[in-house]
Amino acid sequence: MFTLREAIRSLSHNRSRSVLLLLCAALLCGCMAFYLGNIRANEEALERLAMTTPVKVWVASENGERSSPLNIMERHMEAFTGNPYLTDFNVTALGAAALSQEARTQEPFTGGDAKITAVNSIEILQELGLECSFAGGYDGSFLSGDQPLCMMEQTAMEGLGLSLGDELTLPVYFVRMRPGGVMEFLPLGEQSLTLAGSCTGADSAQTFYVPVNWLFQTAKAAGQEFAYSSCSAMVKDPRQLNSFKATVESMAFLDVDSESYDEFNGATLLVDDRNFIAAAEPLGKNITSFRGFLLPFFGLITVLVMLVIFLILRGSRRDMAIAVSLGRPKVLTALSSFLAALAAEAVGCLLALPVILLGAGLSFAGGLAVCGGFLLCAAVGNALGLLLLLRFDVMALLIAAE
C-alpha cells in the first residue's frame, strides 16, 4: 500500500515529468495504432476484393478450349460439387424429345423435334435472357429438385394447345456427346411432365427446361450411363484460392493438354483468377510485410519506452540512492517508479484512444487491444529502463551529488 501511495504522490508532485510521460505514451500508442491500422486496412481491402471480384471455376475439355457441351462423368461431378471451397454450382445436361407423330416414328432417332435442357437453377435461364413465369404453387426452385416438372416457351406451349399446369407424355432421350461432336440419343422411355412454368425469349421455341436431377434419375432408372454437359461454380472465398487449387489433384481432374484432340471429354478444370490475383497480390504482399515486421516493431516500441523512462527518470537516481541508503530494497524503490510510469502511460493511451478510433479506422475493441498491447510493451520497457537506472553504486552517487 505504501508503494502504491508513493506512486500516486510521485505522479502529482512531479507533474512535468508525468505530463511528458503521458505525451510520449500517447505518441507511441498512436504509432502502434496506425501500424496495426495499416494491416487491418489492407485486410479489409482484400475482403472487399474477394466479394467484388469473384473467381469462377468450370469444367472444360481436355484441351481447355470447350466448356459446353461436354461429357462430364459422375465421378468428376461428385468431386466437383463436393468440394468445400466451391459454391453456386450451375449444372446442365442435354436431352431430346418427340412431340409430333413423325418425330416419334424416327428410326433411328435423330433428335426429334424438341430439345431438352436440364438445369439445376433458375439463374441459368435468367443468364440466357429468359423471362419466366410459373403456375400456381410453383416457382423457380423446382429446377433444383427431382420432380417431373418442366418449363416451355410460351408461344410453343400455346401452339400445342397447352397451358400452365397441364401434363404431357412424350418419349424422352438423353443426349451424350461422342468424339467428333456426334450426338448419341439414348432412349429413356415415355415420360410424363407437368408444365410448371413458361418462358419468353428462348432461342428455340421447341425447348423444354427440366430439373437436371430428374433427368439424372430417369437416365439411371433406364440403365443409361449419365453425363453432364457443363458445370461451373464460384470459389466461396477467393482468399482461399491456393487451398482450393491444392485439392484439384485429389478430384481426379487432368491437367490441360493443348495437343489433345478430345474436345468433348470434360476432364479438366479451368480457373478464372487473373483479375483477382492481379488486384490481391499487392495487398497480400503488404499484409505479409507488415506482419513480418510486427515483432521488430513491438521491440522498437519497447526500446523507445525504455529510453524515455531512462532519460526522464535519470534525474531521480539521487532520490533512489537516498531511499536505498536508508535500507529500502531496490526492488520496492523501482516498483513505485514503475507503477507511476505505467499509470501515466495508461492515461496517455486513453487520451490517444479517440485519435486511434478516428484516424486509424479501428473498432473500439481494436483500439482497446492496441492500448493493451502498448501497455504490455510499456511495462517491459519500464522494467528495462529502471534496471538501467538502478545500476549505480549508492555511496559513489551520494558522494558525487555532494
Side-chain angles (χ1 to χ4, degrees):
M1 288 296 295
F2 176 77
T3 301
L4 184 59
R5 289 197 301 270
E6 186 179 3
I8 296 172
R9 188 181 64 179
S10 177
L11 282 174
S12 59
H13 286 187
N14 300 283
R15 294 179 182 177
S16 58
R17 186 176 68 185
S18 300
V19 170
L20 188 56
L21 271 173
L22 183 152
L23 293 177
C24 289
L27 179 61
L28 293 176
C29 186
C31 291
M32 180 179 286
F34 280 100
Y35 188 92
L36 297 177
N38 279 330
I39 297 177
R40 185 56 189 156
N42 280 276
E43 290 175 341
E44 289 178 347
L46 192 58
E47 291 173 4
R48 290 193 297 270
L49 182 66
M51 291 187 291
T52 58
T53 310
V55 175
K56 185 178 180 180
V57 182
W58 66 94
V59 180
S61 58
E62 289 185 12
N63 58 14
E65 295 181 0
R66 180 183 292 273
S67 60
S68 179
L70 298 171
N71 283 333
I72 306 173
M73 307 313 293
E74 288 181 52
R75 63 188 181 91
H76 284 136
M77 183 61 67
E78 289 175 359
F80 188 80
T81 56
N83 191 287
Y85 295 100
L86 298 178
T87 187
D88 298 334
F89 297 95
N90 285 338
V91 181
T92 67
L94 299 177
L99 286 170
S100 65
Q101 187 61 35
E102 181 182 355
R104 290 170 181 261
T105 57
Q106 284 182 356
E107 188 61 41
F109 186 79
T110 57
D113 53 3
K115 297 180 181 178
I116 292 178
T117 299
V119 299
N120 72 322
S121 70
I122 191 67
E123 286 77 14
I124 298 176
L125 303 186
Q126 292 171 345
E127 289 177 1
L128 295 175
L130 304 183
E131 296 183 7
C132 305
S133 57
F134 303 95
Y138 295 101
D139 56 32
S141 63
F142 84 84
L143 291 171
S144 61
D146 58 3
Q147 298 303 305
L149 304 171
C150 68
M151 295 178 64
M152 194 176 185
E153 207 280 330
Q154 180 70 34
T155 303
M157 188 177 69
E158 293 174 352
L160 294 172
L162 299 171
S163 59
L164 292 180
D166 288 351
E167 183 179 284
L168 67 161
T169 301
L170 69 171
V172 173
Y173 296 78
F174 169 63
V175 176
R176 189 163 57 195
M177 304 301 297
R178 288 301 183 188
V182 177
M183 288 186 175
E184 181 182 18
F185 299 93
L186 305 175
L188 304 183
E190 293 275 337
Q191 302 295 328
S192 296
L193 293 170
T194 300
L195 282 165
S198 63
C199 58
T200 58
D203 293 334
S204 173
Q206 305 283 54
T207 300
F208 292 92
Y209 300 97
V210 302
V212 71
N213 287 334
W214 172 80
L215 188 62
F216 170 80
Q217 292 185 2
T218 303
K220 300 300 285 187
Q224 303 289 3
E225 185 180 15
F226 195 77
Y228 299 87
S229 64
S230 71
C231 184
S232 65
M234 308 302 292
V235 177
K236 286 181 182 178
D237 187 351
R239 293 171 296 177
Q240 296 182 327
L241 188 58
N242 290 335
S243 298
F244 162 69
K245 290 181 177 179
T247 66
V248 172
E249 184 176 354
S250 65
M251 294 165 66
F253 283 99
L254 305 175
D255 293 330
V256 175
D257 181 5
S258 59
E259 298 181 357
S260 174
Y261 291 100
D262 191 344
E263 297 184 8
F264 296 95
N265 180 26
T268 64
L269 278 186
L270 295 182
V271 182
D272 184 11
D273 57 1
R274 290 170 297 177
N275 292 336
F276 178 79
I277 289 178
E281 191 171 9
L283 294 173
K285 287 182 178 179
N286 288 342
I287 294 171
T288 301
S289 297
F290 279 122
R291 286 180 174 172
F293 286 99
L294 197 57
L295 288 179
F297 180 77
F298 284 173
L300 177 62
I301 292 293
T302 301
V303 170
L304 290 175
V305 171
M306 179 187 71
L307 291 176
V308 167
I309 290 297
F310 180 80
L311 294 174
I312 291 178
L313 297 183
R314 189 175 182 183
S316 302
R317 286 203 301 175
R318 183 173 180 275
D319 294 336
M320 294 180 184
I322 293 173
V324 172
S325 68
L326 295 175
R328 192 179 190 199
K330 281 188 177 182
V331 173
L332 293 179
T333 302
L335 183 59
S336 62
S337 298
F338 176 87
L339 294 175
L342 193 62
E345 289 158 349
V347 174
C349 288
L350 292 178
L351 292 178
L353 187 58
V355 178
I356 290 173
L357 300 180
L358 296 176
L362 296 174
S363 64
F364 183 73
L368 291 179
V370 169
C371 291
F374 171 76
L375 289 176
L376 182 60
C377 292
V380 176
N382 291 345
L384 293 176
L386 288 168
L387 280 177
L388 290 177
L389 285 172
L390 290 172
R391 294 179 61 186
F392 57 77
D393 182 271
V394 176
M395 295 307 298
L397 185 59
L398 290 176
I399 293 172
E402 290 296 334

